[in-house]
Amino acid sequence: PMQPLSIEQQTNTPLPARRLRGRSTACFACVVLSTALLVIVARGSFHLSITNLVTTLGSKNGGGTQKIQPVCVDGSTATRTSPDEIAMNRAAKGFRKQLIPGIASSGFFWDDGDSATRKWRPQGVTTVKSSAGRRYLAVSWYGRRDEGYAARGARVSVVEMGSDGDGEFQNKTFPYRHTLLVDKEFCTLPNIHAGGIEYWNGSLHVVDSRRSRFSIISFSLNEVYELGPNLSNAMFGYRYVLRGSSVHPLSVKPSFVSFDRDLSLFVVGTYNRCGPKMGVHTDSKKCMQ
């Protein structure tokens, strides 16, 4: 059984995890992207993606794409704070929709800017309860490389949910704010996908599926920092950062994660595409080897 983690643990502590073997039937995102490129190029309205994508693919460094460097700041002047003290600066709008008699769907929409952005893509979602007993929703996003946002790494939206029940989402607003993820040295995490996120034992646990870095990064909620104006400007305008407290290596590529509270184990799923063609899956016993 897995013992509770403390933020003092060293970065080489392996986490027990289960591997979910799965095979994709099609690279749907690749097909959609290819179609979108063709259609939007014809209309000449692909924002900055075409320029940045060509630059990214055309920049070579030792035979590979150009390495994106992290952005770092001196965190010695940052002020430690907590989720309860974050000054929310956005508002999500709640909704409740009847699907069929007796079954309804409830949730919220991001504000207009976040709903329309092409620079960030939301990924994982989990719920959080602060030490003061306040309820939050935490959502991870990754900065898109083809939009020039890979150096920003990932961010987590902290959404204040209050204590309202499911039936009270309609026409309600939910304050939220984005916090940037950084490592122990107050450096961003370039190209991290942040595809899975889970809250457990006072920390957010985010999967890192970058090549040669397969791991779960733990971010203690005691490691929220508020940046002064100069540091904030250096960190792309983010006023708050969430600092990593420990890193736990994995033997598989972690695409998503959950925590089994009965067995005290993290459950990690991995994605792998098999086949010679993009968007076409070929079943093979060697797929997951």
Side-chain angles (χ1 to χ4, degrees):
M2 181 175 174
Q3 298 300 317
L5 296 174
S6 65
I7 62 174
E8 292 81 12
Q9 284 184 283
Q10 299 301 312
T11 59
N12 295 322
T13 307
L15 288 180
R18 292 178 180 173
R19 177 176 178 177
L20 301 183
R21 293 178 175 266
R23 301 184 175 96
S24 172
T25 56
C27 184
F28 176 74
C30 301
V31 175
V32 172
L33 177 59
S34 300
T35 305
L37 284 172
L38 290 175
V39 173
I40 300 175
V41 167
R43 295 183 177 181
S45 60
F46 196 50
H47 194 55
L48 298 177
S49 294
I50 290 296
T51 302
N52 290 324
L53 183 60
V54 171
T55 301
T56 298
L57 296 179
S59 301
K60 300 293 182 179
N61 181 15
T65 56
Q66 187 176 24
K67 184 177 180 180
I68 298 177
Q69 299 298 326
V71 175
C72 305
V73 297
D74 180 4
S76 61
T77 60
T79 303
R80 184 177 293 192
T81 182
S82 71
D84 296 325
E85 298 174 295
I86 292 177
M88 306 301 186
N89 63 346
R90 289 171 166 81
K93 185 177 180 180
F95 70 86
R96 180 175 174 83
K97 182 178 180 180
Q98 192 77 21
L99 300 179
I100 60 175
I103 298 181
S105 173
S106 298
F108 61 75
F109 297 104
W110 301 111
D111 73 4
D112 292 343
D114 290 326
S115 294
T117 184
R118 292 171 175 163
K119 298 177 175 66
W120 294 92
R121 285 286 168 82
Q123 293 292 300
V125 59
T126 188
T127 55
V128 173
K129 189 173 184 179
S130 72
S131 57
R134 298 171 70 176
R135 294 173 57 244
Y136 297 93
L137 198 70
V139 180
S140 63
W141 309 60
Y142 74 89
R144 292 183 60 192
R145 185 184 181 98
D146 56 0
E147 289 284 349
Y149 269 51
R152 289 163 170 78
R155 68 186 186 186
V156 168
S157 300
V158 180
V159 187
E160 188 173 348
M161 301 302 294
S163 58
D164 293 326
D166 178 78
E168 300 181 57
F169 271 63
Q170 183 69 28
N171 297 324
K172 287 189 64 66
T173 57
F174 299 91
Y176 71 96
R177 188 163 193 144
H178 304 307
T179 62
L180 200 63
L181 297 185
V182 296
D183 64 15
K184 283 189 173 183
E185 307 302 321
F186 285 89
C187 296
T188 61
L189 307 168
N191 286 321
I192 190 171
H193 195 69
I197 182 172
E198 176 67 294
Y199 172 73
W200 177 71
N201 196 33
S203 295
L204 287 177
H205 304 278
V206 180
V207 298
D208 187 352
S209 59
R210 292 176 293 178
R211 186 173 300 176
S212 76
R213 295 174 184 251
F214 297 167
S215 61
I216 294 176
I217 306 176
S218 299
F219 296 85
S220 170
L221 296 187
N222 293 323
E223 295 282 335
V224 179
Y225 288 86
E226 182 176 1
L227 307 180
N230 292 336
L231 295 184
S232 177
N233 289 338
M235 278 294 181
F236 310 103
Y238 284 85
R239 180 176 170 181
Y240 299 93
V241 297
L242 183 57
R243 185 187 183 197
S245 52
S246 55
V247 179
H248 313 279
L250 296 175
S251 60
V252 297
K253 176 182 178 180
S255 300
F256 48 91
V257 65
S258 184
F259 186 74
D260 187 327
R261 284 167 171 76
D262 292 329
L263 299 177
S264 294
L265 290 173
F266 277 99
V267 182
V268 173
T270 185
Y271 166 83
N272 195 38
R273 181 182 64 85
C274 296
K277 296 181 180 180
M278 189 69 72
V280 178
H281 176 81
T282 302
D283 197 16
S284 170
K285 293 182 179 180
K286 298 180 180 180
C287 181
M288 301 301 294
Q289 294 181 356

